[in-house]
Amino acid sequence: MKYCPNCGNELSPNSKFCGKCGTPVNQEHEEATFSEKMKTSFDKLQTDEVFELKLESAEGLDASRTELKNEAQKKLSGRYGEWLKSIVWYFVGIFIVAILMGIASGKMTEIDYYYSYNAVSGFSRFFWFIIWLITFAAMFVIAVLFNAVLQWMAIYSLRGKEANGVKIFEYLVKAQKNRVLKANILMNLYVFFWSLLFIIPGIIKQASYIMTNILLEKDPELSAGEAINLSRVIMKGYKLEFLILRFSFFFWNMLSAFTFGLSGLYTLPYQNTTEVLFLEQLYNKYMEKQEVVEEI
């Protein structure tokens, strides 16, 4: 076997020049051994050269998860009371609506069981059915908008504004052409139907739509459908990264379950503010790319 005396490249038996470096091959040194080849290659290395393993940072994140969490805690310092009032009002509202729904259901069952069908009992049943329907719609709207309210509260906290969940909820219900309510209803329906395919697709789609409310807050002219589609575009390639961030709060959420929701008064603002910080970074990266494209 024959090797180039200059670079150590393997040569064919009849080669007169090295195909890699172009060095003429001396017939007297055709039979360079493998050890000579390795020695030649090793001698070419610069002993003072510094070797360093460099890992590319994830595009879209200018901070680690730890840094995001520390920043979230800093922004929330002294502001947990604002969140506490809003979260308590949410549970009070759900509790009241649930009681009214239970009363309406009980009255309908009582009418069906104890009274024969006549004009009076039929009217009573219809009346309580309307009450049940109204309370069900109210519970649905409150539940659907709860996550949106939490995200908007996080945005307000990051901006140093008062995070008043009651006022935010009122605004979301009355927002331009109910675009926020429409967007969140559509998102929940999409996630529900995707979740029918063994849960996992629903989780992925939830991450895909996660930026919708932030986009609606940033652009008052954005429609519900446009916000959902734009969220899908921005989150492309970052859904797993977001889900890892969300999963990092798993034990906090477990603690909340074991303390009957009490630790959730700390976890909800902490988690939502951290997630919004993450999403804000992705949004800024996306806008920077759009500006570059427009300049080109």
Side-chain angles (χ1 to χ4, degrees):
M1 195 172 288
K2 178 174 165 181
Y3 300 95
C4 173
N6 180 49
C7 67
N9 182 45
E10 185 178 340
L11 305 173
S12 61
N14 300 321
S15 296
K16 295 185 178 180
F17 295 91
C18 174
K20 185 175 181 182
C21 66
T23 302
V25 179
N26 238 340
Q27 294 300 321
E28 290 82 11
H29 302 288
E30 284 184 354
E31 300 301 323
T33 63
F34 181 74
S35 59
E36 288 174 336
K37 171 198 170 186
M38 294 301 295
K39 183 178 183 301
T40 302
S41 299
F42 182 78
D43 289 342
K44 288 174 67 65
L45 292 176
Q46 297 179 0
T47 55
D48 58 344
E49 184 177 356
V50 178
F51 292 90
E52 182 180 0
L53 178 64
K54 294 183 179 180
L55 299 177
E56 293 183 3
S57 58
E59 187 180 358
L61 270 183
D62 294 327
S64 66
R65 285 189 290 274
T66 301
E67 289 170 330
L68 289 173
K69 291 178 178 181
N70 290 338
E71 181 65 18
Q73 289 178 324
K74 189 186 301 181
K75 293 290 185 180
L76 288 168
S77 179
R79 314 201 64 164
Y80 283 95
E82 297 173 2
W83 286 74
L84 175 62
K85 288 188 291 185
S86 301
I87 295 170
V88 168
W89 272 114
Y90 165 75
F91 284 112
V92 168
I94 286 290
F95 181 71
I96 293 173
V97 171
I99 289 177
L100 292 175
M101 187 182 294
I103 292 172
S105 299
K107 287 292 182 181
M108 287 191 293
T109 303
E110 183 181 335
I111 290 169
D112 289 341
Y113 187 78
Y114 288 105
Y115 302 100
S116 58
Y117 185 82
N118 54 49
V120 176
S121 62
F123 175 78
S124 298
R125 194 182 193 288
F126 177 75
F127 171 79
W128 286 110
F129 174 74
I130 294 299
I131 298 297
W132 182 89
L133 204 59
I134 292 172
T135 53
F136 176 81
M139 179 173 284
F140 178 74
V141 169
I142 293 172
V144 162
L145 287 181
F146 182 58
N147 288 329
V149 170
L150 292 177
Q151 282 191 321
W152 283 54
M153 288 175 66
I155 293 171
Y156 277 44
S157 293
L158 291 173
R159 293 179 182 173
K161 296 181 179 179
E162 181 186 4
N164 190 323
V166 177
K167 289 183 179 179
I168 292 173
F169 178 82
E170 184 181 357
Y171 169 75
L172 297 187
V173 172
K174 298 179 179 178
Q176 304 156 356
K177 300 178 181 178
N178 291 320
R179 67 195 184 103
V180 178
L181 178 59
K182 181 181 178 181
N184 281 273
I185 289 175
L186 287 174
M187 281 193 296
N188 279 271
L189 288 175
Y190 293 158
V191 170
F192 170 74
F193 288 123
W194 278 103
S195 296
L196 297 178
L197 302 174
F198 304 105
I199 306 299
I200 300 299
I203 296 174
I204 295 172
K205 286 298 177 180
Q206 189 177 40
S208 183
Y209 306 142
I210 195 65
M211 196 175 283
T212 300
N213 285 296
I214 293 174
L215 295 171
L216 290 170
E217 190 274 338
K218 289 184 177 297
D219 187 353
E221 301 301 321
L222 211 60
S223 69
E226 288 171 340
I228 291 173
N229 289 330
L230 184 55
S231 176
R232 291 171 58 194
V233 171
I234 297 176
M235 291 302 296
K236 187 176 182 180
Y238 296 104
K239 292 187 285 291
L240 178 59
E241 208 165 344
F242 172 78
L243 290 172
I244 291 172
L245 175 65
R246 174 164 283 186
F247 184 77
S248 68
F249 289 92
F250 175 78
F251 292 106
W252 280 108
N253 291 314
M254 287 295 294
L255 180 62
S256 179
F258 285 119
T259 57
F260 302 99
L262 290 177
S263 65
L265 300 175
Y266 171 78
T267 306
L268 282 174
Y270 179 29
Q271 178 174 346
N272 278 274
T273 305
T274 304
E275 290 181 0
V276 168
L277 276 170
F278 175 92
L279 298 174
E280 286 276 359
Q281 287 196 1
L282 290 188
Y283 175 81
N284 292 335
K285 287 288 183 183
Y286 173 78
M287 293 306 294
E288 288 174 6
K289 289 180 181 178
Q290 293 304 109
E291 289 175 3
V292 171
V293 171
E294 289 177 2
E295 288 176 2
I296 295 174

